[in-house]
Amino acid sequence: MLGRVIGVYDSGFGGLTVLRALRARLPEHDFVYLGDSGRAPYGGRDADTILDFSEQCVERLFEEGCALVVVACHTVSCVALRHLQQRYAPEKDSPRRILGVTIPAAEEAVSKSAGHIAVLGTARTIASRTFDAEIAKLGPHRVTSRAAPLLAPIVEEGWEDSEVARLAIAKYVEGLETADTLLLACTHYPLLERTFCEVVPAHVRVLDPGPAVAIALEGWLARHPGYVARGRGALRVLCTGEPETFRQHGERMLGAPLPAVQHVALIDGRLAHRERVEIPTGQVVRPSTPPPR
Ligand code: DGL
């Protein structure tokens, strides 16, 4: 059966930079975006937690009517994509499919690089060594990977064009002068693209993989016409965190106004819609917490 919408999943707001590229390339498709902002960032979390969170999020997107889910988060793509595919889409013709960002990003870097690719991402993305493995399948390129955990919070603060951003980038790219291509393997970093270009030597190509992910998705849809019906460019947005905060940050990442953000919360082990989000002040005491024995 044809799905009505394409699901896009990220740990939080950052994946909206990927969605921006997807919508620019595929304006006739409808999307539903789920940002797990209440539990972000994922980048320093252990693999088991990322597997648990990602199962809950893709299940929510399937329940939203998605036959196809794009994992926009590099951390999840690097750590959990194979697990998700084996669990939910084990056969080539499984009714539901899950795609990631790692392979299109690696292919784009290899196609652009003359021989030495630098990869910047979260601590978990880099620790997974998934980019090293995927690039090695494509060519004999040298890969230097480096975790850059300060950069996502800098983007969330809106400090992309600040001295703090320039100093952090300069520190992270120290010693990478022999690289010719710098792959921005974290959803937040495309917002820092201009600052990266100011800081890195002129011969280094700074690569936002978003457009390559969009081209890969377009190709996949053409090869799999039974999965997603064309729509009218509609967008729905869900998040696990505070919806209004999500909308404010999200609009910068998407580069466009966001519709009203719906809240989903973990209820009995599943992410379900919840109407009201209250942010408590002061002490919080659970009503029926029995004293420990
Ligand atoms: N979305 C994550 C990624 O692309 C970055 C933010 C996080 O650490 O959750 O790896």
Side-chain angles (χ1 to χ4, degrees):
M1 195 187 74
L2 275 179
R4 289 171 288 113
V5 281
I6 299 173
V8 178
Y9 158 48
D10 180 51
S11 58
F13 326 107
L16 290 165
T17 62
V18 179
L19 181 64
R20 183 181 193 157
L22 301 183
R23 293 184 88 208
R25 187 89 199 174
L26 300 161
E28 74 285 7
H29 277 284
D30 294 345
F31 290 91
V32 53
Y33 180 95
L34 171 55
D36 196 5
S37 52
R39 302 186 292 191
Y42 282 12
R45 289 189 183 273
D46 64 88
D48 271 332
T49 304
I50 293 170
L51 260 53
D52 287 344
F53 289 179
S54 61
E55 284 181 8
Q56 292 158 4
C57 289
V58 298
E59 284 177 15
R60 181 68 253 156
L61 285 169
F62 290 147
E63 282 168 30
E64 297 293 323
C66 305
L68 174 66
V69 171
V70 177
V71 175
C73 178
H74 287 276
T75 305
V76 176
S77 279
C78 279
V79 173
L81 184 67
R82 196 161 298 161
H83 167 76
L84 295 171
Q85 289 172 331
Q86 285 177 9
R87 184 169 166 90
Y88 299 106
E91 312 293 340
K92 271 199 174 336
D93 56 354
S94 294
R96 290 165 172 168
R97 300 293 286 270
I98 304 171
L99 305 176
V101 288
T102 314
I103 292 178
E107 286 173 347
E108 181 68 358
V110 166
S111 77
K112 293 281 162 34
S113 171
H116 185 184
I117 300 167
V119 180
L120 290 191
T122 66
R124 182 59 50 203
T125 292
I126 300 307
S128 74
R129 303 191 68 84
T130 303
F131 270 106
D132 306 57
E134 292 302 337
I135 292 171
K137 288 181 197 163
L138 300 168
H141 295 67
R142 181 175 161 207
V143 181
T144 307
S145 302
R146 201 165 274 179
L150 286 183
L151 298 186
I154 285 174
V155 171
E156 293 199 0
E157 286 293 344
W159 293 349
E160 297 92 285
D161 188 23
S162 71
E163 210 44 39
V164 175
R166 277 182 276 280
L167 283 172
I169 290 172
K171 192 77 188 155
Y172 287 131
V173 300
E174 231 170 51
L176 294 181
E177 295 79 11
T178 60
D180 58 75
T181 302
L182 176 61
L183 180 62
L184 303 182
C186 173
T187 50
H188 289 60
Y189 301 173
L191 265 74
L192 289 163
E193 192 172 355
R194 214 178 42 203
T195 314
F196 266 103
C197 291
E198 282 170 31
V199 174
V200 300
H203 70 273
V204 179
R205 183 197 295 267
V206 177
L207 208 61
D208 166 9
V213 171
I215 292 170
L217 176 59
E218 186 180 42
W220 191 94
L221 291 170
R223 293 193 305 280
H224 300 83
Y227 277 88
V228 189
R230 279 168 194 243
R232 281 179 296 179
L235 173 63
R236 283 194 305 123
V237 179
L238 318 176
C239 77
T240 57
E242 205 277 304
E244 183 48 28
T245 311
F246 190 95
R247 195 188 56 74
Q248 286 165 14
H249 283 290
E251 292 191 343
R252 282 193 303 121
M253 304 273 179
L254 187 65
L258 278 183
V261 178
Q262 298 165 23
H263 183 61
V264 291
L266 200 61
I267 298 169
D268 297 332
R270 301 181 74 77
L271 287 178
H273 283 263
R274 202 165 64 174
E275 284 306 315
R276 277 172 63 85
V277 186
E278 278 168 25
I279 302 175
T281 52
Q283 302 284 335
V284 179
V285 179
R286 287 207 178 106
S288 59
T289 312
R293 289 170 189 248

